[in-house]
Amino acid sequence: MPEARSPMAAFAQSVVNVIDGPVTWFRESIVEPNQKKSVWYHQQFRRVPTIDQCYTDDAVCKFEADQQFRRDRLVDNEILSILRLRFEDCMMYEAPDHMKKCKPFMDTYKEAEENWFIKLG
């Protein structure tokens, strides 16, 4: 058997329903069905042919390939910077015994650095 609510609780619930009801309806029936479900927090560009795949007289293809290369280089630089900061933070935090504990960070950074030099020179 349900408990009897006090008149004040019933009044408070009716006020909540009057204020929250239209807002909840609007969100569930208008906003959420029209939202784009995306897991990306940045703009996503489609991949274009590399510059060696462009025809010699295709300026647009060369421009797009150059812009893609620049974006890729910026991303690679940022990844390398993040790995370097992780290694440096580990060195600072694990000060006296840092060589044993920070070796995985150093190995990851050195491998990424080598791959960066192979890819970008």
Side-chain angles (χ1 to χ4, degrees):
M1 181 171 196
E3 295 180 21
R5 294 192 309 182
S6 69
M8 187 63 179
F11 175 72
Q13 186 61 41
S14 65
V15 169
V16 167
N17 289 340
V18 166
I19 294 173
D20 187 50
V23 173
T24 303
W25 173 84
F26 183 78
R27 175 153 182 86
E28 290 174 353
S29 61
I30 306 292
V31 175
E32 288 177 357
N34 293 320
Q35 277 183 332
K36 292 181 181 177
K37 303 288 189 241
S38 178
V39 297
W40 298 99
Y41 297 102
H42 56 82
Q43 188 174 0
Q44 196 173 11
F45 296 97
R46 65 178 179 82
R47 301 300 290 178
V48 297
T50 57
I51 200 154
D52 60 335
Q53 296 171 335
C54 293
Y55 292 111
T56 55
D57 59 343
D58 192 356
V60 174
C61 180
K62 288 181 179 180
F63 176 77
E64 287 179 344
D66 186 48
Q67 293 303 309
Q68 177 174 281
F69 175 77
R70 289 173 192 249
R71 282 191 304 269
D72 290 346
R73 188 179 61 201
L74 287 173
V75 169
D76 290 341
N77 287 343
E78 192 62 31
I79 290 171
L80 201 60
S81 175
I82 290 170
L83 291 174
R84 183 183 318 111
L85 287 175
R86 285 183 183 171
F87 174 64
E88 290 172 356
D89 288 345
C90 181
M91 295 280 285
M92 294 295 284
Y93 185 74
E94 304 289 345
D97 193 25
H98 63 272
M99 288 313 289
K100 276 193 258 177
K101 295 182 180 179
C102 298
K103 185 160 178 29
F105 293 107
M106 183 176 69
D107 293 341
T108 304
Y109 172 69
K110 290 294 182 187
E111 182 182 348
E113 185 181 40
E114 180 182 351
N115 291 337
W116 187 91
F117 277 108
I118 289 171
K119 183 177 178 182
L120 301 171

